[in-house]
Amino acid sequence: MKKNTMMRIASVLLVVVLLTTSVISGTFAKYVTSGSAADTARVAEFGVVISAGGQLFGDTYKAVGEGNSIVAWSNASAGTVNSGTEDDNVVAPGTLNNDGLTFGVVGAPEVKVAVDFAVTGSDIILKQGTGYNKTTTSTNTTDTFDLATDYNPVIFTLSQDIGGGYTAVAAAGDTLEEIAAYLNGLDAEYAPNTDLATKIGSFKITWAWAFDGNDDADTLLGDLAVNNALTDTANYNLATEFSVNISVTQID
Amino acid sequence: MKKSNKRKSGAVWLVVLILFICVAATTMAFLSRLDNFLLDDSGAISLLGDSDNGKDKDNQSSATQSGSENAGSTSQQGNKKPTNPGFEASDNNTVWSTNTKVEIFRISYENGEKVVTVQSDGGDKVIAPGTENSYVFKLKNTGDVALDYTVEIDAFCTPQGTEIPIESRVNRYDGKWIAGSGTEYADVAQLDKAEDSATLGAGRYTYYTLDWLWEFESGDDERDTALGNLATEQDLLFTIVIKTTATESANPNDQSGISAPQMGDNTHFTLLITLAICSFVVMISLIIYERREKRRENAEAKKVEEKEDI
């Protein structure tokens, strides 16, 4: 009997609870309601760094055995080769630059980018020909020499480091004109998050003018630098220049 | 006597079974109603024509009708007592609660040729020159009484003082601009504190479109580059917060907003739940009754056996 009473009370309570729940939930629904949404974004990273260092030519050179090929100009008689004027860079047989000129691009931008190279280069050259006088002051017409091919006394080497150190790029050639053409061909677009250090990395240009190369041609070039006296100036170039301009631009 | 008890017990179990089926059926019906909360019906076409149970024929195809046009058509609902207000803010993917994370910004962006031009490295959402996006959010009155609602927008850069050249504009479905305009975008300061208030009739909805962009050719490449470079050292953040609040309107029969399409299922939600509860209670009662009967019969049978033994 006691159990039945308890069961009855429990049943009634269950029904009452069920009914009041619906009533209470209805009451709550009448309050003020609100909602909010938010979103945050950060500025995408660019962080591309274009660097350049070192120097390609110098105004004073020490002998190879004395360490660095280019040294700071101190006076007109310093070193084994000296331009005579500070900042007036020169090259001569036996000079070289193993430290070279370096330039490169690093960074992994979160945007698509285009990398553009604007490179120019010109070389010292004595062009293929016959009957070159061994010196510009020579009057002896038999004292001549021939060049079967163009003579580029300064041999350049382009190396690239995309991780793991510099490696010579054979395809780039060994004149500044060829190297410039090679670098200009590296223009490319890169997808976001491309690590440019592994695609472009760092370049280094080194060079050497062999001391024991073509003595006749070397001497003529040296004399020409003083007199500049060949009748056909199209046959030679006495100045070597190199300029590089790299730009990394976001593209849409 | 035993035969009669058995028949009685069988009948009770039959009733219990029927009630159980009823409970199952009503539960299923209840669950099917949940679909209305999960599916976005903003693009659906009404199957019944009028969405207000045939009360407002003028609003039959009023997907673009403004609030002012509808404000006066309230007479048919004059007798209906508002009892169940409900409000829902959502987008195509999410129903908002508090500070719900939504997709105003993105992890990556493509250009017109479907080429990815900006991609976050770590899965964060990012912005960059040339990026843009549109975000549409919907406010829906899910109750049976008109609501006054407010939309407020906060926009800010972090760290404070950082100037990110994001431009944006916010447009209501009926053409009202609450930031910027059709030809001009607003800067961050103008977007911040942009707000709109209106009334939403029972069962009606409204939507807003937030467009933002970081111009690719803003004319200040140096600033853009500096921001991109600085971003490698610290997070430069841009945040947009959209807050909505709704309260019962002083005019509970206001019909402003877009009429929600009617899908053809007019089953009363409350009735289904009541049915389920009643069925459950009756089922439990019958089970208890049946057990008590059994116990009583067993006791009687025992008494008879004892008498026979004596």
Side-chain angles (χ1 to χ4, degrees):
Chain A
M1 184 63 191
K2 215 177 185 183
K3 254 186 182 176
N4 284 344
T5 313
M6 287 295 283
M7 287 296 283
R8 271 186 206 138
I9 291 167
S11 305
V12 169
L13 277 174
L14 178 68
V15 173
V16 169
V17 165
L18 287 169
L19 289 173
T20 50
T21 304
S22 64
V23 171
I24 288 167
S25 64
T27 308
F28 280 156
K30 285 177 185 166
Y31 285 119
V32 173
T33 180
S34 65
S36 62
D39 202 11
T40 299
R42 62 175 172 77
V43 173
E45 294 176 10
F46 189 64
V48 175
V49 178
I50 300 170
S51 59
Q55 62 184 109
L56 200 51
F57 307 112
D59 50 21
T60 309
Y61 296 83
K62 275 193 172 181
V64 176
E66 293 179 44
N68 199 337
S69 54
I70 297 174
V71 292
W73 192 92
S74 56
N75 57 64
S77 58
T80 53
V81 175
N82 190 307
S83 72
T85 309
E86 192 173 7
D87 294 331
D88 182 17
N89 293 341
V90 292
V91 288
T95 56
L96 59 81
N97 182 358
N98 283 331
D99 295 330
L101 173 73
T102 57
F103 51 91
V105 181
V106 294
E110 291 179 314
V111 296
K112 189 180 181 189
V113 293
V115 179
D116 292 304
F117 285 84
V119 188
T120 58
S122 64
D123 298 275
I124 292 171
I125 188 170
L126 188 60
K127 291 200 170 169
Q128 170 194 359
T130 55
Y132 281 115
N133 286 333
K134 286 189 175 175
T135 66
T136 52
T137 53
S138 173
T139 51
N140 185 351
T141 51
T142 58
D143 198 13
T144 59
F145 66 95
D146 301 331
L147 283 175
T149 57
D150 291 348
Y151 177 59
N152 293 104
V154 184
I155 302 300
F156 294 88
T157 303
L158 178 74
S159 305
Q160 187 178 20
D161 179 7
I162 50 172
Y166 283 103
T167 311
V169 183
D174 58 10
T175 66
L176 283 181
E177 210 175 305
E178 289 169 335
I179 288 170
Y182 174 81
L183 290 171
N184 285 327
L186 296 181
D187 289 356
E189 293 180 356
Y190 294 95
N193 297 305
T194 302
D195 185 359
L196 298 176
T198 62
K199 297 290 178 185
I200 300 167
S202 183
F203 289 102
K204 182 162 80 171
I205 298 176
T206 55
W207 59 268
W209 185 337
F211 190 71
D212 295 319
N214 186 330
D215 287 348
D216 291 336
D218 288 348
T219 305
L220 180 59
L221 286 168
D223 282 346
L224 286 170
V226 178
N227 297 321
N228 221 358
L230 274 188
T231 45
D232 187 359
T233 53
N235 280 344
Y236 64 95
N237 179 35
L238 299 176
T240 179
E241 286 176 286
F242 181 77
S243 81
V244 56
N245 192 331
I246 306 170
S247 63
V248 180
T249 314
Q250 184 198 349
I251 50 175
D252 197 16
Chain B
M1 178 71 180
K2 264 188 179 176
K3 238 181 186 179
S4 140
N5 279 343
K6 247 184 185 176
R7 212 178 298 143
K8 211 173 174 185
S9 172
V12 169
W13 276 112
L14 187 66
V15 173
V16 168
L17 186 67
I18 291 165
L19 279 171
F20 182 76
I21 291 165
C22 286
V23 170
T26 46
T27 307
M28 281 174 71
F30 167 70
L31 289 174
S32 72
R33 293 292 296 181
L34 289 178
D35 282 355
N36 290 352
F37 296 93
L38 300 174
L39 298 175
D40 177 30
D41 56 3
S42 59
I45 297 165
S46 169
L47 297 174
L48 299 181
D50 184 22
S51 60
D52 287 321
N53 302 327
K55 287 177 183 170
D56 188 1
K57 295 286 181 196
D58 293 334
N59 291 339
Q60 206 157 7
S61 56
S62 61
T64 55
Q65 273 185 308
S66 68
S68 56
E69 285 170 337
N70 295 326
S73 57
T74 58
S75 58
Q76 287 98 332
Q77 290 200 347
N79 297 330
K80 195 173 178 183
K81 204 175 179 184
T83 54
N84 187 23
F87 182 71
E88 182 184 275
S90 63
D91 57 28
N92 281 336
N93 303 312
T94 321
V95 175
W96 299 1
S97 52
T98 304
N99 276 331
T100 305
K101 204 86 179 123
V102 293
E103 294 287 320
I104 297 174
F105 307 107
R106 300 169 67 182
I107 294 169
S108 69
Y109 300 85
E110 292 177 343
N111 62 14
E113 293 155 1
K114 299 287 173 201
V115 174
V116 175
T117 54
V118 177
Q119 170 88 54
S120 164
D121 185 27
D124 302 328
K125 290 174 184 173
V126 288
I127 46 174
T131 56
E132 60 183 300
N133 198 22
S134 282
Y135 176 70
V136 179
F137 60 96
K138 190 169 100 175
L139 308 180
K140 191 174 180 183
N141 183 343
T142 56
D144 56 6
V145 58
L147 298 173
D148 290 333
Y149 72 88
T150 307
V151 176
E152 283 178 282
I153 297 176
D154 289 344
F156 54 90
C157 301
T158 316
Q160 206 175 11
T162 309
E163 286 182 18
I164 301 172
I166 292 284
E167 296 176 302
S168 45
R169 60 186 184 186
V170 184
N171 177 236
R172 199 169 70 184
Y173 80 96
D174 58 0
K176 183 188 176 187
W177 293 96
I178 65 169
S181 69
T183 53
E184 258 182 50
Y185 282 77
D187 60 20
V188 175
Q190 287 170 313
L191 178 65
D192 189 33
K193 305 300 172 203
E195 67 171 74
D196 188 37
S197 299
T199 302
L200 211 48
R204 296 192 171 245
Y205 70 93
T206 181
Y207 62 85
Y208 292 82
T209 305
L210 187 158
D211 301 318
W212 66 264
L213 65 83
W214 183 339
E215 258 193 282
F216 190 69
E217 296 290 355
S218 65
D220 196 345
D221 289 349
E222 283 182 15
R223 177 203 54 201
D224 291 350
T225 307
L227 283 169
N229 288 335
L230 188 59
T232 61
E233 296 164 16
Q234 65 179 114
D235 283 348
L236 305 177
L237 306 174
F238 181 60
T239 303
I240 293 178
V241 182
I242 307 167
K243 292 181 276 191
T244 61
T245 313
T247 53
E248 284 191 38
S249 174
N251 181 6
N253 297 319
D254 192 295
Q255 290 292 292
S256 303
I258 308 167
S259 58
Q262 189 76 4
M263 301 309 289
D265 181 5
N266 292 319
T267 320
H268 292 286
F269 192 43
T270 323
L271 185 67
L272 284 169
I273 295 173
T274 314
L275 268 174
I277 292 167
C278 289
S279 305
F280 182 73
V281 169
V282 173
M283 187 180 82
I284 296 293
S285 308
L286 281 170
I287 289 169
I288 293 166
Y289 172 77
E290 200 266 343
R291 279 188 179 173
R292 277 173 53 193
E293 280 294 300
K294 235 182 191 176
R295 221 178 290 140
R296 196 175 55 81
E297 282 166 13
N298 287 342
E300 276 177 11
K302 220 177 182 181
K303 273 182 190 173
V304 171
E305 275 173 20
E306 280 171 4
K307 271 183 186 174
E308 280 174 1
D309 287 346
I310 292 164

